[in-house]
Amino acid sequence: MDLEFNKNADFNGLEVSKLDRLKEKIMLGGGKKKIEKQHSKGKLTARERINLLKDKDKDSFEIGTFAGYEMYAEYGGAPAGGVVVEIAYVEGVQCIIVANDATVKAGAWFPITGKKNLRAQEIAMENELPIVYLVDSAGVFLPMQDEIFPDKEHFGRIFRNNAVMSAKGIPQIAAVMGACVAGGAYLPIMSDEALIVKDTGSIFLAGPYLVRAAIGEQVDKQTLGGAETHSIISGVTDYIMENDEACIQKIRDIFSNINTNKTEAYSRKESKKPALSSKDILGILPEERTKPYDVRRLLACIVDDGSMTYYKDTYGQTIVCAYAKIDGFSVGIVANNRDVVKNGKGEMQFGGVIYSDSADKATRFILNCNQKKIPLIFFHDVSGFMVGKRSEHGGIIKDGAKMVNAVSNSTVPKFSVIIGNSYGAGNYAMCGKAYDPRLIVAWPSAKLAVMGGSQAAKVLAQIQISSKKAKGESFSEKDEQALIEKIKQRYDAQTTPYYAAARLWVDEIIDPRDTRKVLKLGLEMASKVEIKPFNVGVIQT
């Protein structure tokens, strides 16, 4: 290994270590004292419940770990948004598990909690996966009710999705293992089957205090909506369970009877190990993000050895398009190439920029993958589309629009991995969150923004300076540099993968070495859903 490789590996290894430390802290939820309090009530924590429920011999993947990261500081924060979501297997059946974390504000719903729950349901609906709700929540976080209650993508959408999933035949199992209050009470009852744990579980539209305030009736929590009330008197729940462990075993029993016989929507062959080790990713990815590298070397750490077939390899080289296999699954790869290359006219093209020729190539490749029913995987490291007079005269907007059209209308499963930059319209063309990837993950090296921090700071600074000068105010060169640096620092803070993951612009930040495993799980997840016919509509040529 050369010196540069080792230097990169050391730097990227430290970034992964930082990622791991932050995850460990987040996974404590409300903290050790709150966990001890949960245990003292005879209750398991959200992650303990999930670990007990899922198959140990199958891969699983937590999404939204960083939801709410460094948000809601005035309320003490909301680690992981107060809810844990995993894609896992139960009794050999792949599913989504959603567990309220009662150590975080009694499992109350912050705005990001609602967004994360909706994302879990979206994944379940897109991939027709059964979903398990492990309910332990005090309901909407009242100080922020205006940001979680009434809108299309707020709390009420959860129950609309319950009904839609039921109509589609997607199994939903709900276990009430703690509080289940107000509007949230509809969730288990709109599921196929509902379980409730004795003494700790309760379901009611209004708790004892609100009942007393509303109608003057005095009633204790268990009489009002406890396990015996709903399993013996109201018939709201289907199973009454002694404790968390028994409840989880009953869910496993239910899953053992789920019929999952479906035909594969796309092909899978024998798996082969990648040509390069996943560990090599850390050495190949440059510490200095402006340095060129060949994305083909990174791909060789992820795809099956010998499976790469490059499409139009000598044309539009700032995007690499290739047919390949990941753990035996056929995939189409669209990856930004950071190498500086020459086009067919001998002109230099900057790596990571989408030119007209590369957009044209990628569009055609995306169409081909849809025609052949091959899932698409996008690897982002893109600064955007090429700008300037020559590009505009050459129709860069038209070529970019073609690529965005093809991505938008693709019906094959799409997955996105953000390696480095994901800026501006480049994010759109490479299947950013707005373009419905089944999963979108980021490496610690990722950056998401309209443009880079330096460029943005100069643009914003010039606007402010021009405004001040128009008012007759003086502005020295020193003042200008100070303003640019101030804006850049703020802008850079908003482009980190942690900022993006906190707002669920990406599903998760991952160790780059886990990329193959995550994509394999995603491909398994999407493989049983019928692929719809493909039509791109009007494309300007």
Side-chain angles (χ1 to χ4, degrees):
M1 299 294 178
D2 60 26
L3 185 63
E4 187 72 20
F5 184 98
N6 291 332
K7 182 181 175 185
N8 292 340
D10 289 344
F11 174 80
N12 290 313
L14 289 173
E15 291 295 295
V16 171
S17 295
K18 174 188 173 183
L19 172 67
D20 291 340
R21 287 195 304 273
L22 289 173
K23 281 188 176 181
E24 285 177 12
K25 185 177 179 181
I26 288 168
M27 287 180 179
L28 288 173
K32 292 182 179 179
K33 287 185 178 179
K34 292 288 179 68
I35 291 172
E36 289 170 4
K37 186 177 179 181
Q38 182 101 334
H39 288 162
S40 71
K41 296 177 181 177
K43 296 163 66 176
L44 301 174
T45 65
R47 286 189 171 82
E48 287 170 343
R49 288 166 175 166
I50 290 175
N51 287 335
L52 195 59
L53 176 60
K54 68 186 181 181
D55 295 347
K56 306 298 185 294
D57 60 342
K58 297 274 190 178
D59 285 335
S60 61
F61 180 51
E62 181 172 343
I63 66 168
T65 308
F66 286 91
Y69 177 67
E70 295 188 335
M71 296 168 65
Y72 314 122
E74 66 271 37
Y75 301 114
V83 63
V84 183
V85 175
E86 279 202 28
I87 303 167
Y89 283 85
V90 174
E91 290 292 314
V93 179
Q94 196 174 31
C95 63
I96 304 292
I97 307 173
V98 180
N100 299 114
D101 186 349
T103 70
V104 179
K105 295 291 187 296
W109 286 54
F110 287 78
I112 198 67
T113 317
K115 189 173 182 180
K116 185 170 175 179
N117 275 266
L118 288 169
R119 177 60 176 152
Q121 289 185 320
E122 181 182 38
I123 292 171
M125 285 189 284
E126 282 183 332
N127 300 287
E128 297 179 7
L129 296 180
I131 186 165
V132 181
Y133 307 101
L134 305 179
V135 185
D136 194 348
S137 171
V140 167
F141 186 62
L142 292 177
M144 302 187 75
Q145 65 84 27
D146 61 321
E147 297 182 46
I148 182 61
F149 169 66
D151 211 341
K152 182 178 178 180
E153 295 184 348
H154 285 176
F155 190 69
R157 188 78 171 181
I158 303 291
F159 316 122
R160 175 264 184 195
N161 288 348
N162 288 145
V164 169
M165 281 190 279
S166 182
K168 289 184 175 182
I170 298 172
Q172 298 177 83
I173 310 298
V176 180
M177 310 179 85
C180 186
V181 184
Y186 289 108
L187 186 145
I189 315 313
M190 295 187 75
S191 298
D192 300 350
E193 297 184 72
L195 305 85
I196 188 167
V197 177
K198 280 180 68 175
D199 300 325
T200 57
S202 58
I203 310 171
F204 31 65
L205 292 179
Y209 295 122
L210 185 53
V211 167
R212 183 178 180 183
I215 62 173
E217 182 179 62
Q218 286 194 321
V219 61
D220 67 83
K221 185 166 71 172
Q222 286 301 313
T223 303
L224 180 64
E228 292 188 354
T229 292
H230 286 310
S231 298
I232 299 171
I233 300 172
S234 73
V236 163
T237 52
D238 305 307
Y239 306 91
I240 182 169
M241 308 309 303
E242 284 294 323
N243 51 44
D244 282 9
E245 290 85 353
C247 185
I248 287 167
Q249 182 55 52
K250 181 62 73 174
I251 297 171
R252 291 187 63 84
D253 293 343
I254 293 169
F255 261 76
S256 69
N257 290 310
I258 291 177
N259 184 359
T260 58
N261 289 330
K262 288 186 177 181
T263 57
E264 299 284 347
Y266 43 83
S267 65
R268 188 178 194 179
K269 307 287 185 177
E270 183 183 351
S271 174
K272 293 182 180 179
K273 290 183 179 180
L276 300 178
S277 168
S278 62
K279 297 176 183 178
D280 289 345
I281 293 175
L282 301 186
I284 295 167
L285 189 70
E287 172 187 352
E288 178 53 57
R289 299 302 300 118
T290 58
K291 282 191 175 181
Y293 66 91
D294 189 347
V295 75
R296 293 171 181 82
R297 290 186 68 204
L298 285 181
L299 296 177
C301 304
I302 298 167
V303 306
D304 293 9
D305 186 18
S307 69
M308 296 282 280
T309 300
Y310 294 104
Y311 176 80
K312 290 184 180 288
D313 194 29
T314 56
Y315 178 74
Q317 294 182 68
T318 63
I319 286 184
V320 169
C321 296
Y323 300 108
K325 288 183 174 61
I326 291 180
D327 200 45
F329 284 109
S330 294
V331 297
I333 289 174
V334 181
N336 301 117
N337 190 16
R338 294 290 300 193
D339 252 0
V340 178
V341 298
K342 287 184 179 181
N343 63 16
K345 300 175 183 177
E347 301 163 330
M348 299 302 295
Q349 292 185 332
F350 299 103
V353 177
I354 302 176
Y355 290 78
S356 284
D357 56 356
S358 46
D360 179 67
K361 175 173 91 171
T363 301
R364 181 64 182 270
F365 182 72
I366 292 165
L367 299 181
N368 279 337
C369 286
N370 276 272
Q371 183 80 358
K372 297 179 177 71
K373 292 183 168 49
I374 298 172
L376 284 159
I377 301 176
F378 296 82
F379 289 87
H380 300 219
D381 197 350
V382 58
S383 301
F385 285 87
M386 191 58 190
V387 298
K389 183 177 72 173
R390 184 171 183 177
S391 292
E392 297 293 358
H393 289 186
I396 187 67
I397 295 174
K398 179 179 66 176
D399 291 315
K402 288 193 295 188
M403 187 173 173
V404 170
N405 189 322
V407 171
S408 302
N409 285 297
S410 285
T411 56
V412 295
K414 297 172 293 191
F415 302 89
S416 281
V417 180
I418 304 180
I419 294 173
N421 300 341
S422 188
Y423 290 160
N427 171 274
Y428 303 157
M430 293 296 294
C431 196
K433 183 69 180 291
Y435 292 80
D436 297 326
R438 299 293 178 97
L439 285 176
I440 178 169
V441 296
W443 292 357
S445 48
K447 300 281 186 184
L448 282 82
V450 171
M451 62 181 75
S454 297
Q455 299 96 314
K458 289 174 183 177
V459 171
L460 291 169
Q462 286 305 313
I463 292 170
Q464 291 187 35
I465 292 165
S466 297
S467 176
K468 288 180 180 294
K469 286 182 177 179
K471 295 175 184 176
E473 299 178 27
S474 61
F475 217 80
S476 68
E477 186 175 331
K478 184 178 179 181
D479 292 336
E480 181 177 340
Q481 288 303 315
L483 178 60
I484 289 172
E485 185 57 33
K486 181 180 178 181
I487 295 172
K488 183 179 182 299
Q489 288 178 3
R490 186 184 75 238
Y491 199 90
D492 284 345
Q494 295 175 352
T495 65
T496 70
Y498 299 100
Y499 191 91
R503 289 151 183 82
L504 292 175
W505 300 343
V506 296
D507 291 317
E508 189 70 355
I509 308 170
I510 65 169
D511 182 335
R513 294 168 294 188
D514 291 336
T515 303
R516 177 180 166 90
K517 182 179 77 173
V518 170
L519 290 173
K520 172 209 164 193
L521 188 145
L523 288 161
E524 287 174 345
M525 176 178 76
S527 66
K528 299 294 197 305
V529 182
E530 183 181 355
I531 296 171
K532 296 177 182 177
F534 175 61
N535 188 343
V536 292
V538 176
I539 288 186
Q540 291 191 32
T541 57

